[in-house]
PDB file of all heavy atoms in Angstrom:
ATOM      1  N   ALA A 126      29.914   0.024 -16.549  1.00 76.00           N
ATOM      2  CA  ALA A 126      31.169  -0.463 -15.944  1.00 76.00           C
ATOM      3  C   ALA A 126      32.335  -0.288 -16.979  1.00 76.00           C
ATOM      4  O   ALA A 126      33.443  -0.105 -16.534  1.00 76.00           O
ATOM      5  CB  ALA A 126      31.068  -1.832 -15.475  1.00 76.00           C
ATOM      6  N   MET A 127      31.993  -0.288 -18.240  1.00 78.00           N
ATOM      7  CA  MET A 127      33.050  -0.125 -19.202  1.00 78.00           C
ATOM      8  C   MET A 127      33.608   1.347 -19.179  1.00 78.00           C
ATOM      9  O   MET A 127      34.748   1.530 -19.444  1.00 78.00           O
ATOM     10  CB  MET A 127      32.521  -0.394 -20.593  1.00 78.00           C
ATOM     11  CG  MET A 127      32.244  -1.842 -20.929  1.00 78.00           C
ATOM     12  SD  MET A 127      31.828  -2.030 -22.647  1.00 78.00           S
ATOM     13  CE  MET A 127      30.317  -2.908 -22.442  1.00 78.00           C
ATOM     14  N   LEU A 128      32.735   2.249 -18.760  1.00 78.00           N
ATOM     15  CA  LEU A 128      33.166   3.617 -18.656  1.00 78.00           C
ATOM     16  C   LEU A 128      33.857   3.894 -17.304  1.00 78.00           C
ATOM     17  O   LEU A 128      34.970   4.460 -17.218  1.00 78.00           O
ATOM     18  CB  LEU A 128      31.973   4.576 -18.796  1.00 78.00           C
ATOM     19  CG  LEU A 128      31.188   4.507 -20.132  1.00 78.00           C
ATOM     20  CD1 LEU A 128      29.949   5.392 -20.147  1.00 78.00           C
ATOM     21  CD2 LEU A 128      32.137   4.974 -21.241  1.00 78.00           C
ATOM     22  N   ASN A 129      33.127   3.587 -16.237  1.00 75.00           N
ATOM     23  CA  ASN A 129      33.615   3.860 -14.911  1.00 75.00           C
ATOM     24  C   ASN A 129      32.933   2.966 -13.873  1.00 75.00           C
ATOM     25  O   ASN A 129      31.689   3.006 -13.793  1.00 75.00           O
ATOM     26  CB  ASN A 129      33.375   5.343 -14.582  1.00 75.00           C
ATOM     27  CG  ASN A 129      33.951   5.761 -13.191  1.00 75.00           C
ATOM     28  OD1 ASN A 129      34.293   4.885 -12.375  1.00 75.00           O
ATOM     29  ND2 ASN A 129      34.066   7.023 -12.998  1.00 75.00           N
ATOM     30  N   TYR A 130      33.669   2.101 -13.124  1.00 71.00           N
ATOM     31  CA  TYR A 130      33.078   1.137 -12.292  1.00 71.00           C
ATOM     32  C   TYR A 130      32.275   1.764 -11.176  1.00 71.00           C
ATOM     33  O   TYR A 130      31.135   1.394 -10.842  1.00 71.00           O
ATOM     34  CB  TYR A 130      34.179   0.253 -11.710  1.00 71.00           C
ATOM     35  CG  TYR A 130      33.657  -0.772 -10.762  1.00 71.00           C
ATOM     36  CD1 TYR A 130      33.020  -1.930 -11.207  1.00 71.00           C
ATOM     37  CD2 TYR A 130      33.754  -0.624  -9.379  1.00 71.00           C
ATOM     38  CE1 TYR A 130      32.542  -2.893 -10.361  1.00 71.00           C
ATOM     39  CE2 TYR A 130      33.304  -1.578  -8.505  1.00 71.00           C
ATOM     40  CZ  TYR A 130      32.707  -2.727  -8.957  1.00 71.00           C
ATOM     41  OH  TYR A 130      32.216  -3.613  -8.169  1.00 71.00           O
ATOM     42  N   ASP A 131      32.778   2.814 -10.520  1.00 73.00           N
ATOM     43  CA  ASP A 131      32.129   3.452  -9.407  1.00 73.00           C
ATOM     44  C   ASP A 131      30.840   4.114  -9.863  1.00 73.00           C
ATOM     45  O   ASP A 131      29.746   4.115  -9.217  1.00 73.00           O
ATOM     46  CB  ASP A 131      33.008   4.489  -8.728  1.00 73.00           C
ATOM     47  CG  ASP A 131      34.159   3.812  -7.970  1.00 73.00           C
ATOM     48  OD1 ASP A 131      33.931   2.688  -7.481  1.00 73.00           O
ATOM     49  OD2 ASP A 131      35.223   4.451  -7.822  1.00 73.00           O
ATOM     50  N   LEU A 132      30.888   4.778 -11.053  1.00 73.00           N
ATOM     51  CA  LEU A 132      29.722   5.497 -11.594  1.00 73.00           C
ATOM     52  C   LEU A 132      28.617   4.467 -11.936  1.00 73.00           C
ATOM     53  O   LEU A 132      27.467   4.654 -11.642  1.00 73.00           O
ATOM     54  CB  LEU A 132      30.113   6.266 -12.843  1.00 73.00           C
ATOM     55  CG  LEU A 132      28.957   6.872 -13.586  1.00 73.00           C
ATOM     56  CD1 LEU A 132      28.383   8.032 -12.713  1.00 73.00           C
ATOM     57  CD2 LEU A 132      29.398   7.449 -14.930  1.00 73.00           C
ATOM     58  N   ALA A 133      29.004   3.330 -12.430  1.00 72.00           N
ATOM     59  CA  ALA A 133      28.035   2.290 -12.833  1.00 72.00           C
ATOM     60  C   ALA A 133      27.305   1.833 -11.537  1.00 72.00           C
ATOM     61  O   ALA A 133      26.096   1.709 -11.540  1.00 72.00           O
ATOM     62  CB  ALA A 133      28.809   1.091 -13.455  1.00 72.00           C
ATOM     63  N   TRP A 134      28.015   1.530 -10.506  1.00 73.00           N
ATOM     64  CA  TRP A 134      27.385   1.071  -9.230  1.00 73.00           C
ATOM     65  C   TRP A 134      26.447   2.084  -8.738  1.00 73.00           C
ATOM     66  O   TRP A 134      25.337   1.749  -8.291  1.00 73.00           O
ATOM     67  CB  TRP A 134      28.510   0.744  -8.225  1.00 73.00           C
ATOM     68  CG  TRP A 134      27.949   0.122  -7.013  1.00 73.00           C
ATOM     69  CD1 TRP A 134      27.601  -1.182  -6.821  1.00 73.00           C
ATOM     70  CD2 TRP A 134      27.595   0.806  -5.785  1.00 73.00           C
ATOM     71  NE1 TRP A 134      27.111  -1.371  -5.595  1.00 73.00           N
ATOM     72  CE2 TRP A 134      27.092  -0.164  -4.908  1.00 73.00           C
ATOM     73  CE3 TRP A 134      27.695   2.131  -5.378  1.00 73.00           C
ATOM     74  CZ2 TRP A 134      26.637   0.169  -3.669  1.00 73.00           C
ATOM     75  CZ3 TRP A 134      27.228   2.448  -4.122  1.00 73.00           C
ATOM     76  CH2 TRP A 134      26.717   1.491  -3.222  1.00 73.00           C
TER      77      TRP A 134
END
Side-chain angles (χ1 to χ4, degrees):
M127 287 186 234
L128 300 173
N129 183 344
Y130 179 77
D131 291 331
L132 175 67
W134 185 84

